[in-house]
Amino acid sequence: MKTYELEYQHENITCKGYVAEPENRSENTPVVMFVHMWSGRVSFVDEKAKLATQKGYIGFAIDMYGNGKTGNSVEENTALMTPFMKNREMMQSRVQAGFEAIKQIPNADISRVVAIGYCFGGLCVQDLARVNAEVKGVVSVHGLMKQAPNISQGLFKSKVLLLHGSDDPMVSDDDWVALRKELNQAGCDWQKHNFGGVMHAFTNPQANDKKMGTVYNESANNRTDKLIADFIEECF
């Protein structure tokens, strides 16, 4: 496995992505693109990129905040994420820039890309599917579900997999109903899996804050890995 940092540009901002290439990659290797949670491109998504190589895929963790910025507290994370939540057009443009950066990776097959996002990143990949007709599939893992005010109806040409904790306090029933309506109107191939009794951030072993509603769940995490593996295989 070969790993390295890949710099790419978006609106005069230098973004610092992380690439993991499998040892025996072919000329046209599928890519699994990872979008980080609100804390930025931390080791969690870099490790996910490395794991993708075990299946023969190129793993690529993008940088939504630019310059590799990360937060170390709720306050810092909120400050990093809030501008994108307030400006969804910027979110869509920045995640699309990450997708375009794949063209810089040797042997990467831009026609076979699945994007996986966690928490904040889950909303980012939903927005990628709203504006990008090329991505093969998107997976939102305990992702936020907020309508994009600048788009009445997203494209949603890709397959969509939503993995969600039934007790996630950060997604309201109204948010989900609105997203479901949009997916149905787009006529895309979508599926949603609810994990009973599970809160937000259930794939993050560091999550242990019941008051905030962020709690790791080993069973849901293991099931998520299996569901994602099957979904990626189906997309590619």
Side-chain angles (χ1 to χ4, degrees):
M1 178 177 59
K2 177 183 178 182
T3 63
Y4 55 93
E5 196 167 78
L6 175 68
E7 293 190 355
Y8 58 98
Q9 299 295 314
H10 177 252
E11 297 181 351
N12 298 317
I13 298 293
T14 298
C15 299
K16 298 181 179 181
Y18 180 87
V19 180
E21 297 181 0
E23 200 166 313
N24 299 312
R25 61 189 180 280
S26 63
E27 185 175 345
N28 295 301
T29 305
V31 179
V32 182
M33 181 176 114
F34 295 92
V35 189
H36 55 74
M37 57 281 281
W38 69 340
S39 53
R41 206 211 85 204
V42 293
S43 60
F44 178 90
V45 284
D46 289 356
E47 290 302 317
K48 295 292 184 183
K50 289 180 184 178
L51 288 172
T53 66
Q54 296 179 6
K55 298 287 187 179
Y57 310 134
I58 292 172
F60 179 42
I62 72 169
D63 174 17
M64 286 292 294
Y65 296 152
N67 295 307
K69 291 179 183 176
T70 59
N72 294 304
S73 67
V74 170
E75 293 75 20
E76 290 179 1
N77 295 342
T78 300
L80 288 168
M81 180 180 72
T82 297
F84 292 88
M85 298 301 293
K86 290 182 175 180
N87 185 345
R88 293 290 287 280
E89 186 174 358
M90 182 171 69
M91 179 188 291
Q92 293 150 12
S93 182
R94 186 67 58 84
V95 73
Q96 175 65 17
F99 179 87
E100 291 294 327
I102 292 170
K103 295 175 182 177
Q104 300 179 36
I105 303 173
N107 302 313
D109 187 351
I110 193 68
S111 71
R112 289 190 292 169
V113 178
V114 166
I116 303 174
Y118 299 83
C119 305
F120 163 70
L123 182 60
C124 292
V125 299
Q126 291 167 42
D127 266 10
L128 179 65
R130 284 185 167 100
V131 300
N132 184 315
E134 299 176 86
V135 63
K136 284 293 184 182
V138 300
V139 185
S140 173
V141 186
H142 41 79
L144 305 176
M145 297 180 191
K146 296 290 184 183
Q147 292 302 105
N150 66 313
I151 297 176
S152 59
Q153 174 61 61
L155 295 175
F156 288 111
K157 300 295 184 184
S158 65
K159 297 178 185 294
V160 176
L161 173 61
L162 306 168
L163 301 172
H164 181 66
S166 65
D167 292 351
D168 187 334
M170 300 184 190
V171 177
S172 70
D173 290 341
D174 288 344
D175 287 340
W176 159 233
V177 169
L179 176 57
R180 182 179 65 193
K181 181 180 179 181
E182 190 179 3
L183 292 169
N184 285 337
Q185 287 178 341
C188 75
D189 180 351
W190 69 268
Q191 53 186 304
K192 178 173 182 274
H193 293 260
N194 278 345
F195 300 113
V198 174
M199 293 185 174
H200 190 72
F202 56 79
T203 65
N204 184 0
Q206 305 301 317
N208 188 29
D209 188 340
K210 288 186 178 181
K211 185 177 180 180
M212 189 173 180
T214 55
V215 179
Y216 173 69
N217 186 286
E218 183 177 9
S219 176
N221 181 54
N222 292 338
R223 289 170 176 172
T224 289
D225 288 342
K226 293 176 182 178
L227 288 163
I228 289 177
D230 289 345
F231 180 79
I232 293 174
E233 189 174 332
E234 182 180 315
C235 288
F236 292 159

